[in-house]
Amino acid sequence: MPSITRRTFGLAALAGSVAAGTGAVSLTSAFAADKIKVGILPFTSHSPDIIAAGKGYFAAQGIDASFVVFQAAQPMAIAIASGDVDFGITAITGGLISLADKGAVKVIGGALEEAPGIEGEKILASKKAYDAGLTSPAKLKGRTYGITTAGSSFQYMAHKIAQKEGFPDSDIILKPLQKVPAVIGALKSGQIDAWSIVPNIADALTRGKTIVEIGKISDYIPHYQVTTVFTSTANVNNKPDLVKRFLAAYSKGVDDYNAALVHKTMGKAETDAIVAMIHKYVYASMPLAKASPRIRHGAMLISPNAELNLESVKDQLEWFKAEKMVPAGVTMKKLVDTR
């Protein structure tokens, strides 16, 4: 499984470079913090950035981070390209690839991934469709499948299911609904037949009486790099030190996220504190007592050190090109910055 690993400068090395011979001096005491905006979706899988801010990892790297919440991946990519947002963590989409082809954005690391032995994305059916015979992904032919936008990761997943089950992609009827809450509402009410989503959301939905789990994405896309870390090409070329410091802080947030919610090796008090941080952005409309089990349950692995599965990214790129959703000439070099 080819990969690149984003192992970035540690705080000690950075502090030493700005205050050699003076002992441990923080970056924030030497310089004004770089203000950045980070795009997130209100999912538990976007927690590493939240943790990095809450535990001071960004501040320790001389970064003052604030968050911009999106409801779908493609608008985030546009915001990164325009400079309205500095960094983002979300799925590879047709929009992101097209922006990369124009030299506007670059993927710089990996985030959410399908990993053996750890819960992954689940395929869901409405109870109405399930009762009418949609009891497995093999029976999705002729059924409606919810996506946010054309060219989204949801469309990629739907078509990978069709290809493995041996029927044309067009036999799954895609329903673009723009935002995740709209997809959830349509699935609950039976307006669409199926959808796929991360386990903490999927498990919360299947605890009710209107939605049933019928399969797992890992059976169709093993080692799937579900989301990636990306930024503007301008940041990569003109502010490489900022990019390195962002990845250093983000990676420490990843370590805490995986320890607290995936491997469950972190102590109770520290885990409780992390869940409270996440709750400010995820299930924020619920009381913490109600949101906490949803945040804790079904967390997928985030790639340590922002390691990127290049093989998975290449497969996604080739699929988008085959579907003629992106320019035929776009290359991995245009999409991914391996520095």
Side-chain angles (χ1 to χ4, degrees):
M1 184 173 65
S3 64
I4 58 173
T5 303
R6 292 286 169 188
R7 299 190 183 277
T8 56
F9 294 128
L11 174 58
L14 284 166
S17 70
V18 299
T22 62
V25 178
S26 72
L27 290 176
T28 51
S29 67
F31 302 107
D34 290 305
K35 292 183 179 292
I36 66 167
K37 293 182 179 179
V38 182
I40 61 172
L41 300 179
F43 298 163
T44 305
S45 57
H46 287 250
S47 300
D49 282 319
I50 299 167
I51 296 167
K55 296 195 74 172
Y57 299 147
F58 282 130
Q61 294 290 350
I63 295 173
D64 179 3
S66 60
F67 298 113
V68 179
V69 180
F70 293 83
Q71 295 296 333
Q74 297 214 126
M76 189 191 299
I78 294 168
I80 297 270
S82 68
D84 292 333
V85 174
D86 298 290
F87 295 90
I89 291 89
T90 195
I92 291 176
T93 65
L96 185 148
I97 294 170
S98 295
L99 290 168
D101 184 57
K102 294 174 182 176
V105 301
K106 289 284 189 182
V107 171
I108 57 171
L112 196 68
E113 63 173 313
E114 291 282 351
I118 297 173
E119 272 199 297
E121 297 218 29
K122 299 186 177 184
I123 305 165
L124 308 178
S126 71
K127 185 64 163 57
K128 176 182 176 182
Y130 183 85
D131 289 343
L134 181 55
T135 55
S136 75
K139 298 182 179 181
L140 276 168
K141 186 174 182 178
R143 297 288 187 168
T144 54
Y145 199 100
I147 63 174
T148 47
T149 57
S152 66
S153 60
F154 298 113
Q155 182 171 352
Y156 171 75
M157 287 185 274
H159 284 185
K160 294 296 280 190
I161 293 169
Q163 289 163 14
K164 186 162 184 179
E165 293 296 349
F167 56 83
D169 297 350
S170 58
D171 283 351
I172 296 181
I173 304 164
L174 302 174
K175 293 291 182 181
L177 294 166
Q178 306 308 316
K179 297 180 180 182
V180 166
V183 181
I184 291 172
L187 190 65
K188 283 183 175 180
S189 63
Q191 295 175 66
I192 58 172
D193 297 321
W195 186 41
S196 53
I197 194 61
V198 290
N200 65 309
I201 294 177
D203 292 346
L205 293 174
T206 55
R207 281 195 287 271
K209 297 180 179 180
T210 59
I211 296 173
V212 181
E213 179 185 336
I214 60 170
K216 300 182 186 302
I217 285 296
S218 59
D219 291 335
Y220 297 89
I221 323 172
H223 304 291
Y224 174 28
Q225 186 74 69
V226 183
T227 61
T228 61
V229 185
F230 66 107
T231 189
S232 66
T233 304
N235 277 341
V236 169
N237 290 335
N238 302 328
K239 300 179 181 179
D241 182 66
L242 174 63
V243 174
K244 290 174 182 178
R245 287 186 281 127
F246 170 84
L247 285 168
Y250 168 77
S251 294
K252 287 179 70 67
V254 169
D255 289 344
D256 285 354
Y257 164 92
N258 284 336
L261 302 180
V262 180
H263 304 307
K264 303 186 189 302
T265 56
M266 184 177 283
K268 181 181 184 304
E270 194 174 1
T271 298
D272 289 347
I274 281 175
V275 170
M277 291 174 198
I278 296 168
H279 178 243
K280 293 177 182 178
Y281 297 92
V282 181
Y283 301 117
S285 62
M286 296 180 182
L288 177 58
K290 185 176 180 180
S292 178
R294 299 188 182 204
I295 292 170
R296 294 169 188 263
H297 182 75
M300 285 180 68
L301 186 73
I302 305 288
S303 306
N305 300 304
E307 186 173 323
L308 180 66
N309 183 340
L310 286 171
E311 185 177 308
S312 176
V313 174
K314 184 177 180 181
D315 182 75
Q316 293 175 66
L317 175 60
E318 294 304 318
W319 175 81
F320 278 106
K321 289 165 69 172
E323 294 291 317
K324 296 181 170 56
M325 294 183 187
V326 300
V330 64
T331 62
M332 283 287 286
K333 187 174 181 180
K334 287 183 176 181
L335 178 61
V336 179
D337 191 291
T338 58
R339 286 176 289 177

